[in-house]
Amino acid sequence: MSITLTEAAAERVKSYLANRGKGLGLRLGLKTSGCSGLAYVLEFVDELQPGDEVFEQLGVNIIIDAKSMIYLDGLQVDFVKEGLNEGFKFENPNAQGECGCGESFTV
């Protein structure tokens, strides 16, 4: 089981955590949403929950709950700037399709 961050994504998460002033890391999870079914959720973690998996990448802890792990194994998270837009980009080998707006995906 693995989750990877690019250097750009790790630096952005470190910056968010430093500005926040606390936190164990960043939770990466899923929720039912959008037109394709599943959407990524990012939130700060101050306390681990039972069943959480912790992946350390480039000095950043990524925390994933057991239910999401099956859909996120092999995920690569990048942080990209395209023109005036910037944000996290997800490359998920488990995704079999995604909606046109990129908000959600299917497995």
Side-chain angles (χ1 to χ4, degrees):
M1 300 271 185
S2 69
I3 305 295
T4 58
L5 293 178
T6 65
E7 193 169 316
E11 290 304 317
R12 182 53 63 144
V13 172
K14 286 178 191 176
S15 172
Y16 285 149
L17 287 169
N19 288 338
R20 187 170 182 258
K22 65 177 182 173
L24 299 175
L26 188 71
R27 179 176 302 282
L28 179 56
L30 298 171
K31 69 177 181 175
T32 303
S33 179
C35 48
S36 289
L38 296 172
Y40 299 103
V41 176
L42 298 172
E43 59 190 11
F44 295 112
V45 174
D46 293 325
E47 190 174 303
L48 293 176
Q49 301 297 315
D52 281 347
E53 293 277 344
V54 180
F55 296 89
E56 192 278 328
Q57 284 282 308
L58 302 170
V60 174
N61 288 324
I62 300 298
I63 295 100
I64 301 178
D65 65 271
K67 287 188 235 176
S68 299
M69 193 63 221
I70 191 169
Y71 303 110
L72 300 178
D73 185 29
L75 180 74
Q76 180 182 45
V77 182
D78 193 8
F79 185 81
V80 296
K81 293 182 181 184
E82 296 172 347
L84 297 175
N85 299 316
E86 62 181 36
F88 289 101
K89 182 177 178 181
F90 304 96
E91 294 292 329
N92 189 340
N94 303 299
Q96 295 182 5
E98 51 184 48
C99 66
C101 65
E103 178 186 323
S104 61
F105 68 97
T106 58
V107 290

